[in-house]
Amino acid sequence: MTAVLCRLFGIQHIEIAEDLTSDTFLKASEYWALHGIPENPSAWLYTVAKNKAKDYYKHNSIAQEKLQEIFRTARSEVVQETEAIGQYITDSQLAMIFAVCDPAIPTESQICLALQILCGFSIAEIADALLSKPETIKKRLTRARENLRNTNFQIILLNETEIKSRLNTVLKTLYLLFSEGYFSKSSQYYIRKELCLEAIRLSLILTEATLTNTPQTNALLALMCFQSSRLEARTDPYGKMILFDNQDKSFWDQSLIDKGNYYLVKACRGNEVSKYHLEAAIAYWHTTVGNEKKWPQILELYNQLVCIEKSPVTALNRLYAFSRVYGKDKALEELLKGEKTESSYYYELLGFLHTDTEISKAIHYYSEAIKLVKSGAEKQHIQEQIERLKGILD
């Protein structure tokens, strides 16, 4: 909705668009509670948003001629059928993502802006996604918004060169959107399916356009399909985490696995190997059942991935795969050789690697990990591991 309003009235009014969006949903929560959800909720929301925008402009004495021109040249009336409205939203959202991914702004700031405006991320969620501090994210957002205003930023039709130059940043934004949905670090909910679905929807649109239907785009979509195939198996009916080895494979969605295979094959046309290719291949191996020989394959893929992406999370994931191939003791030696990081992942892995030999140390490291975790579901999971180990000691 913010994207649509900005497209209609200009990015210079982005804060106003965000306020109008919030007001619209507030009115919906009050009106629908009394009168029920309307037959066409999307049309209702966009009609209210449009009317609120009109009222705002009238209240601020903006010329009636300009107002009429804006609505006369708008590409679609918000009272159209739901399907048409959905397409309009899609166009506006993708247009906005590409627009804010402007090379005039530092890449990290582009991503911050896209995640906040178009994906609805809080500052804390953006900080978690980018492994940064909230204060740093606030500064980036402030500078990025000022930059857009100072350059008289507009959402315009981009040429082929501009689209191609911005695609990598757009893909990273969609990757982070999906990742937050797949494993939320900030929310009380372990999985946020609506974010996963939104990321898949937007990535799918990119594969349907010639300019953006690249190997990287297909690899990213393959990754999302493989990961999404296991969403139903990753939590129990009460929202508790279920680790991979304990998942009920009958809950895996074979149709999504098949789609993942389809897009991964498309991604492998050519010689390009991106982080999305490698992560998609790792996710593919996770969908194979009863095949312990997959772990050397997964480890080799992680060996390649850490050369592309110097991420502490990737390095820790590689060490977990290393433990499945060479054992926990050798993996612990590797971990202690490296640099210590103050993250829950680091202490969780230390706890896991000590579970077979030094249970007291494992409990200690899990206790350190739980101090750094924000997600309620993840805290509960770690606490259960601690209680299980205490039971063994008793």
Side-chain angles (χ1 to χ4, degrees):
M1 186 176 290
T2 301
V4 170
L5 291 174
C6 282
R7 191 159 187 166
L8 286 171
F9 307 119
I11 195 73
Q12 65 269 30
H13 299 299
I14 190 168
E15 286 87 358
I16 298 168
E18 290 172 329
D19 290 343
L20 291 174
T21 299
S22 297
D23 289 346
T24 298
F25 278 92
L26 178 60
K27 182 172 181 178
S29 68
E30 296 170 346
Y31 187 86
W32 294 2
L34 294 174
H35 304 280
I37 297 175
E39 184 176 344
N40 192 334
S42 296
W44 190 97
L45 287 167
Y46 279 87
T47 299
V48 171
K50 182 185 75 170
N51 291 335
K52 284 183 174 291
K54 284 182 177 179
D55 291 342
Y56 170 82
Y57 277 112
K58 288 178 182 177
H59 184 264
N60 286 273
S61 303
I62 291 182
Q64 188 66 25
E65 294 80 11
K66 180 178 179 181
L67 181 63
Q68 290 173 349
E69 179 63 21
I70 288 171
F71 283 100
R72 185 165 57 249
T73 58
R75 297 195 315 164
S76 174
E77 284 295 326
V78 294
V79 293
Q80 289 177 334
E81 294 298 323
T82 303
E83 183 178 353
I85 289 174
Q87 183 60 46
Y88 180 37
I89 297 168
T90 295
D91 290 344
S92 293
Q93 192 163 13
L94 276 176
M96 276 285 286
I97 291 176
F98 273 94
V100 299
C101 291
D102 188 336
I105 307 170
T107 301
E108 292 298 317
S109 297
Q110 296 171 33
I111 294 170
C112 289
L113 204 57
L115 287 174
Q116 185 187 57
I117 297 171
L118 298 160
C119 304
F121 277 33
S122 67
I123 288 174
E125 288 169 339
I126 299 172
D128 286 335
L130 296 176
L131 303 178
S132 188
K133 296 180 180 179
E135 294 76 16
T136 302
I137 300 301
K138 284 182 184 178
K139 291 177 182 177
R140 286 178 182 168
L141 285 169
T142 300
R143 287 195 294 265
R145 286 172 180 260
E146 287 177 354
N147 186 292
L148 293 182
R149 281 192 291 267
N150 293 339
T151 56
N152 195 25
F153 175 85
Q154 292 181 326
I155 303 172
I156 59 175
L157 186 64
L158 301 176
N159 61 41
E160 181 175 341
T161 302
E162 289 170 325
I163 289 173
K164 288 181 176 179
S165 68
R166 299 181 187 203
L167 182 58
N168 284 343
T169 307
V170 171
L171 292 179
K172 185 172 181 180
T173 301
L174 297 182
Y175 172 83
L176 294 173
L177 173 62
F178 181 86
S179 297
E180 173 61 20
Y182 185 75
F183 187 172
S184 179
K185 304 177 188 69
S186 305
S187 170
Q188 285 298 105
Y189 300 100
Y190 173 47
I191 295 172
R192 300 171 67 183
K193 292 180 184 177
E194 75 282 1
L195 298 186
C196 293
L197 291 172
E198 181 68 358
I200 290 174
R201 182 180 71 82
L202 294 172
S203 299
L204 183 60
I205 294 167
L206 292 178
T207 65
E208 293 171 347
T210 303
L211 285 179
T212 53
N213 185 26
T214 65
Q216 278 201 63
T217 304
N218 282 279
L220 177 58
L221 186 53
L223 168 63
M224 292 178 181
C225 289
F226 285 135
Q227 299 288 60
S228 295
S229 71
R230 296 188 286 108
L231 286 179
E232 297 299 328
R234 294 180 65 231
T235 56
D236 69 9
Y238 304 100
K240 289 184 179 179
M241 290 173 58
I242 301 177
L243 294 183
F244 178 80
D245 289 336
N246 300 323
Q247 290 174 11
D248 184 343
K249 310 301 186 292
S250 66
F251 286 137
W252 290 8
D253 189 330
Q254 186 59 46
S255 65
L256 279 172
I257 294 174
D258 293 340
K259 285 184 173 65
N261 289 329
Y262 169 77
Y263 287 110
L264 187 55
V265 169
K266 287 187 67 177
C268 293
R269 294 172 183 168
N271 299 320
E272 182 178 7
V273 178
S274 67
K275 65 166 285 184
Y276 305 123
H277 286 81
L278 296 171
E279 290 196 32
I282 291 169
Y284 158 76
W285 280 109
H286 277 87
T287 64
T288 61
V289 180
N291 179 12
E292 280 302 310
K293 293 182 180 179
K294 67 187 176 186
W295 285 105
Q297 302 286 345
I298 292 174
L299 178 58
E300 177 54 32
L301 289 165
Y302 270 121
N303 289 339
Q304 296 177 54
L305 185 58
V306 293
C307 294
I308 294 176
E309 183 177 57
K310 304 295 183 182
S311 162
V313 175
T314 301
L316 293 174
N317 285 337
R318 175 196 167 273
L319 280 172
Y320 175 79
F322 187 94
S323 74
R324 297 296 294 255
V325 177
Y326 297 108
K328 292 180 180 179
D329 289 342
K330 288 191 176 297
L332 182 60
E333 290 177 16
E334 288 286 312
L335 178 61
L336 295 177
K337 286 179 187 175
E339 185 178 346
K340 179 182 177 181
T341 60
E342 284 297 319
S343 72
S344 62
Y345 298 114
Y346 179 81
Y347 288 112
E348 276 188 79
L349 184 58
L350 271 173
F352 168 75
L353 296 177
H354 279 94
T355 51
D356 294 343
T357 53
E358 298 180 81
I359 293 178
S360 295
K361 278 192 175 182
I363 292 172
H364 167 73
Y365 288 124
Y366 277 130
S367 298
E368 290 300 306
I370 208 169
K371 296 176 185 177
L372 301 171
V373 170
K374 299 176 184 176
S375 165
E378 193 177 0
K379 281 185 178 181
Q380 184 180 26
H381 167 71
I382 298 173
Q383 188 60 47
E384 287 175 354
Q385 296 299 313
I386 293 172
E387 296 303 323
R388 181 181 65 81
L389 292 172
K390 285 181 177 178
I392 294 174
L393 284 180
D394 295 339

